[in-house]
Amino acid sequence: MAAWPGRLAQATTALAVIVVAGVAATISYAHILELARSHGEDGLTARLVPVTVDGLIWAASMVVLDAGRRSRPVPALASWSLAAGIIATIGANVAHGAAHGVIGALVSAWPALALIGSFELLMTLVRNAMQPRTGAEPHQCTTLVRPDSACAELEQTVEQAVLAEYRASLNGPGRPLSQRYLADKHGLDRRKVKQIISAEGQPHSN
C-alpha cells in the first residue's frame, strides 16, 4: 500500500509522456510528409521519409538505453545517429513552417522538440524502472563479499568440505576424486573446484 502512490505517479507520468510523444510524432510526420511532397517526392517514398527521420531517433535511443542497462559505453554510431535524427527532424519541421515567417517556423518546430523531449523522458522512466530500489534486492551469496559476512562463511564451509573430501580420497585406493564429481556433489562450477584444489598445491585429476 505504501508503494501504491509512487506506482500511480509512474504510471500516469508514463501515460502522459506516451500520449505527448504520439501526438508530437503524428504532427511531425505530417510536416515532413508535406515537405517531402513539396520537394518532388510522392507516393510511398514521401510517406516513408518521415519514418526514416523520426524512426532513427527511436532506434538510436534504444541502443543508448541498452548500453546504459549493460553498463557499457554508448556506441559512437548510436550517438551520431541520434544527433543526426534530432537535427533532421527539427530542420524539416522548421523548413515546413519557414514560409510563414519566424513564428511559423517556431510553431512548426515545436512538435519535433516535444517528440525529442518525450523520447528522453520515456528513456529516463525506463532507466529508473530498471534500477533496483534500496532494500528490494534479495540477499544473495557471491564471492564478492566481505570475509566477515555470512555468505563468505558459507562459501568457506563449502570449500573446506571439498578440500576435506579431496584430501581423504588421496589416501584411499585408486585415483583421487575427480573435479566433476566434487562439483556435482557440492553444486559448484568445475573451475571453482579446480581453483580450490590448485590453491592447496595438491595433485588433481579430471
Side-chain angles (χ1 to χ4, degrees):
M1 292 298 295
W4 183 82
R7 293 176 181 175
L8 178 61
Q10 291 178 349
T12 54
T13 301
L15 178 61
V17 170
I18 292 173
V19 170
V20 172
V23 173
T26 301
I27 299 175
S28 178
Y29 178 91
H31 286 175
I32 300 177
L33 175 60
E34 292 179 10
L35 183 66
R37 285 175 173 172
S38 65
H39 286 77
E41 300 293 343
D42 57 7
L44 181 62
T45 301
R47 290 191 292 271
L48 291 180
V49 168
V51 177
T52 63
V53 176
D54 293 335
L56 180 62
I57 299 176
W58 176 262
S61 297
M62 292 295 101
V63 175
V64 172
L65 177 63
D66 183 70
R69 184 176 66 85
R70 299 175 184 272
S71 299
R72 295 180 178 177
V74 176
L77 180 59
S79 299
W80 283 102
S81 298
L82 181 60
I86 291 174
I87 294 173
T89 190
I90 293 177
N93 280 272
V94 168
H96 175 269
H100 301 281
V102 176
I103 300 300
L106 292 176
V107 171
S108 182
W110 177 251
L113 295 173
L115 178 60
I116 296 169
S118 298
F119 275 153
E120 292 304 314
L121 290 174
L122 186 58
M123 294 304 100
T124 300
L125 289 174
V126 174
R127 283 192 291 266
N128 292 339
M130 291 190 302
Q131 293 177 354
R133 292 172 296 179
T134 303
E137 293 184 349
H139 184 67
Q140 297 180 348
C141 294
T142 65
T143 57
L144 301 178
V145 293
R146 295 193 307 271
D148 57 345
S149 67
C151 289
E153 293 177 359
L154 177 59
E155 182 162 346
Q156 184 65 24
T157 301
V158 175
E159 291 182 1
Q160 290 176 347
V162 172
L163 283 174
E165 193 167 351
Y166 181 78
R167 288 169 179 169
S169 69
L170 293 175
N171 300 324
R175 301 179 60 188
L177 294 175
S178 67
Q179 296 173 13
R180 184 187 301 275
Y181 171 82
L182 293 172
D184 293 341
K185 180 177 180 179
H186 295 278
L188 297 175
D189 186 80
R190 285 188 62 189
R191 290 176 295 182
K192 179 63 176 178
V193 174
K194 184 177 180 179
Q195 292 175 0
I196 296 172
I197 297 174
S198 299
E200 288 294 307
Q202 298 285 351
H204 56 275
S205 64
N206 293 326

